[in-house]
Amino acid sequence: MRPTCLFLACIAVAAAAPATACDGAVCLVDPETLALPRIITFDDTRSSRGPGRSVEDVLIMDGAHFGERFAGQTAETNGDHDRITGGALPPLTVMPGMPGQNLSVVFFDGNNILNGYGPAGFPKRRAQGEGAIAFLFDEDQSALAFQLRGGEHGTAEVTFLARDGKLIEKLSLPPVGEHYFGFVRRNGASDIAGVLLENNDPQGLALDNVKFGKSPDLS
């Protein structure tokens, strides 16, 4: 995600069908319908402007760890973007990218956001936001939400994994911009341990405001 084209004045909400109408293992829902008590904002970690503060190792936050991919997976190149291939090994373990191809924390407009860095490497502009972002929760989840920043109507995919590395679901998101997305495990199962976010947006994407925790609305 490049600073010259970030952040709209308002955040659009990604509308979706109710979870009861979803046939998949994970359902895309309106995040406003989720009462999730915990949030990771990245505001309590060091950052900088421009390309941000490079994070070369796994970023440990309260409730989740952030990196590029999971152990057993491989980062390949798709133009300027990461493409993650292969299956994750048990137990699910988040891994950093190669030097310069992991993460950065960017301060912009009063708050911090998390960039994945693509193959061109930090601090090149064409690498900002083109990298994959993987995060591993400390505890398994039945619902979550996150905000994507700076999209230019490109594509994004989100993969949900269990703690034993097994695939739960892979979803293609609607054309992305400044959107908040919510997700619910079908039938209330609480087994989402890890999430992998990949994109092919022309300006790249950043991650912010990851919401999770046991919702009182979910059994």
Side-chain angles (χ1 to χ4, degrees), residues 7 31-32 37 39 74 77 82 86-87 89 91 94 103 108 129 131 137 143-144 152 154 170 172-173 175 186 188 214:
F7 308 110
E32 295 296 327
I39 184 170
T74 301
T77 299
D82 280 347
L89 297 175
V94 71
L103 306 170
F108 189 89
F137 291 111
L144 64 122
E152 295 291 333
K170 186 171 187 175
S172 295
L173 300 181
R186 192 180 183 195
K214 185 64 176 177

Side-chain angles (χ1 to χ4, degrees), residues 139-152:
E139 299 178 354
D140 293 353
Q141 305 296 316
S142 56
L144 64 122
F146 54 71
Q147 185 181 356
L148 296 183
R149 309 300 304 262
E152 295 291 333

Side-chain angles (χ1 to χ4, degrees), residues 6-8 10-13 147-151 176-180:
L6 306 184
F7 308 110
L8 303 177
C10 297
I11 300 169
V13 174
Q147 185 181 356
L148 296 183
R149 309 300 304 262
V176 288
E178 295 278 324
H179 293 164
Y180 226 125

Side-chain angles (χ1 to χ4, degrees), residues 22-37:
C22 170
D23 293 329
V26 177
C27 303
L28 182 64
V29 300
D30 183 343
E32 295 296 327
T33 65
L34 300 177
L36 301 173

Side-chain angles (χ1 to χ4, degrees), residues 160-194:
F160 302 89
L161 298 168
R163 203 159 296 271
D164 62 2
K166 290 182 179 178
L167 174 68
I168 297 173
E169 183 67 281
K170 186 171 187 175
L171 297 177
S172 295
L173 300 181
V176 288
E178 295 278 324
H179 293 164
Y180 226 125
F181 294 94
F183 307 92
V184 171
R185 185 71 164 92
R186 192 180 183 195
N187 298 326
S190 183
D191 59 358
I192 298 173

Side-chain angles (χ1 to χ4, degrees), residues 30-205:
D30 183 343
E32 295 296 327
T33 65
L34 300 177
L36 301 173
R38 301 185 66 183
I39 184 170
I40 295 173
T41 66
F42 306 105
D43 289 340
D44 54 355
T45 189
R46 290 192 301 114
S47 65
S48 68
R49 298 181 185 273
R53 178 182 69 87
S54 180
V55 179
E56 296 294 344
D57 206 342
V58 172
L59 178 64
I60 301 174
M61 304 296 292
D62 184 15
H65 295 183
F66 293 79
E68 178 196 62
R69 66 194 189 283
F70 295 103
Q73 296 179 325
T74 301
E76 299 182 351
T77 299
N78 180 22
D80 285 333
H81 293 77
D82 280 347
R83 186 63 178 171
I84 305 300
T85 62
L89 297 175
L92 200 62
T93 305
V94 71
M95 302 293 292
M98 297 289 289
Q101 299 179 32
N102 191 41
L103 306 170
S104 78
V105 183
V106 180
F107 179 80
F108 189 89
D109 199 30
N111 69 291
N112 291 347
I113 49 91
L114 188 69
N115 265 324
Y117 259 80
F122 183 90
K124 294 180 181 177
R125 288 172 59 84
R126 76 176 203 265
Q128 296 177 36
E130 268 78 355
I133 299 176
F135 51 100
L136 177 66
F137 291 111
D138 294 349
E139 299 178 354
D140 293 353
Q141 305 296 316
S142 56
L144 64 122
F146 54 71
Q147 185 181 356
L148 296 183
R149 309 300 304 262
E152 295 291 333
H153 303 289
T155 61
E157 291 182 329
V158 56
T159 303
F160 302 89
L161 298 168
R163 203 159 296 271
D164 62 2
K166 290 182 179 178
L167 174 68
I168 297 173
E169 183 67 281
K170 186 171 187 175
L171 297 177
S172 295
L173 300 181
V176 288
E178 295 278 324
H179 293 164
Y180 226 125
F181 294 94
F183 307 92
V184 171
R185 185 71 164 92
R186 192 180 183 195
N187 298 326
S190 183
D191 59 358
I192 298 173
V195 178
L196 173 68
L197 177 65
E198 302 169 86
N199 81 86
N200 199 27
D201 189 272
Q203 296 295 339
L205 293 170

